[in-house]
Amino acid sequence: MLRMPFASQHVSIGARELQGFLDYPEDPQGLVLFVHEHGCGRHNPDDNQIATTLHKLGFATLLVDLFGPKEQHELVPASREAELSTRICEVIDWTASAPALNGLALHCVGSGNIAEPLLRAVLASGRTVSRVALFAPPRDPDVRLIGQAPPMLILHRCGDIPADQRSADPAVKSITRVSLDPLGEARLEGAGRHIGEWIGCDRRTAPAQDRPPQDQAGPPAALVS
């Protein structure tokens, strides 16, 4: 059973028992879910640094391994993107089944080349995602997904903001873009601050219509110390 408040808790998510790290400050402003293009985000140093900055700013953070160590190498590229979307959607729905998390506005941060699987999962989920931030994506997601997605922040490496050929499209114009400092910790701390400030202006709680899926009612997983 989830206990509040807690910090640096190891959680096991859903029927697949996906492994995650959940940090929960006192009176959080919202919940930020991190997903990584390689499917292994719990120990990614960049994601952890950004999550640490967000935690200091008062956000709960959840970093998840979408694949186990063997699965990373076994999945063929053709099925990898669809599987990423499926598992991200499962994690989002899991957060709706935990009363301690369901009352918070949910935001997602995707690192690397995960924009399209993440947006497909956000659109397919039964829980509302308020905002999406993309950290150093190699390219913009498909404009059709952007048009249906929540407000989006894209954090580019210094000098790497593209001259998007689709800039006349209203969906692309709705993206907020930030160019980050070029070096290590300053770049990552800056990313955390930009994300925190951007999602901080949307402090509402999760919409009342968000409800745990029927097959996931009750506490979704026991916490592991």
Side-chain angles (χ1 to χ4, degrees):
M1 184 174 182
L2 291 171
R3 299 182 301 276
M4 310 290 283
F6 50 81
S8 300
Q9 292 293 314
H10 176 196
V11 293
S12 183
I13 297 171
R16 300 179 200 267
E17 297 188 342
L18 303 177
Q19 301 303 297
F21 289 145
L22 177 62
D23 284 271
Y24 196 102
E26 185 176 354
D27 190 24
Q29 297 189 46
L31 172 64
V32 183
L33 167 63
F34 283 76
V35 291
H36 194 277
E37 66 173 311
H38 298 305
C40 261
R42 270 195 306 161
H43 300 289
N44 181 271
D46 287 2
D47 285 0
N48 271 275
Q49 180 64 56
I50 296 171
T52 297
T53 300
L54 285 169
H55 191 256
K56 291 176 181 176
L57 293 173
F59 292 94
T61 58
L62 176 60
L63 293 95
V64 178
D65 285 351
L66 299 169
F67 300 135
K70 289 182 64 178
E71 288 181 300
Q72 293 182 68
H73 307 291
E74 292 173 349
L75 279 171
V76 297
S79 63
R80 185 180 182 85
E81 187 166 300
E83 191 64 24
L84 279 169
S85 285
T86 297
R87 297 194 183 196
I88 295 169
C89 190
E90 289 175 3
V91 175
I92 292 173
D93 288 342
W94 176 85
T95 67
S97 71
L101 303 180
N102 187 43
L104 300 174
L106 175 63
H107 314 281
C108 293
V109 175
S111 295
N113 190 22
I114 199 171
E116 293 191 3
L118 172 57
L119 293 184
R120 289 191 179 97
V122 165
L123 295 172
S125 172
R127 179 174 185 181
T128 300
V129 174
S130 297
R131 297 192 171 213
V132 173
L134 302 175
F135 178 64
R139 62 183 182 277
D140 279 2
D142 188 288
V143 68
R144 290 168 293 185
L145 290 173
I146 297 173
Q148 301 174 69
M152 192 178 310
L153 172 70
I154 300 184
L155 300 138
H156 295 275
R157 294 184 177 89
C158 185
D160 198 30
I161 295 181
D164 200 309
Q165 297 302 310
R166 301 170 301 186
S167 59
D169 191 294
V172 175
K173 282 187 174 181
S174 71
I175 294 173
T176 300
R177 298 184 188 272
V178 171
S179 181
L180 297 170
D181 292 331
L183 300 176
E185 284 195 21
R187 176 172 65 97
L188 297 171
E189 289 178 8
R193 281 188 282 102
H194 281 298
I195 294 170
E197 290 170 2
W198 186 70
I199 65 179
C201 63
D202 186 4
R203 295 191 60 177
R204 67 180 184 274
T205 56
Q209 66 267 24
D210 288 343
R211 291 290 182 266
Q214 291 300 310
D215 60 349
Q216 294 187 20
L223 293 179
V224 180
S225 59

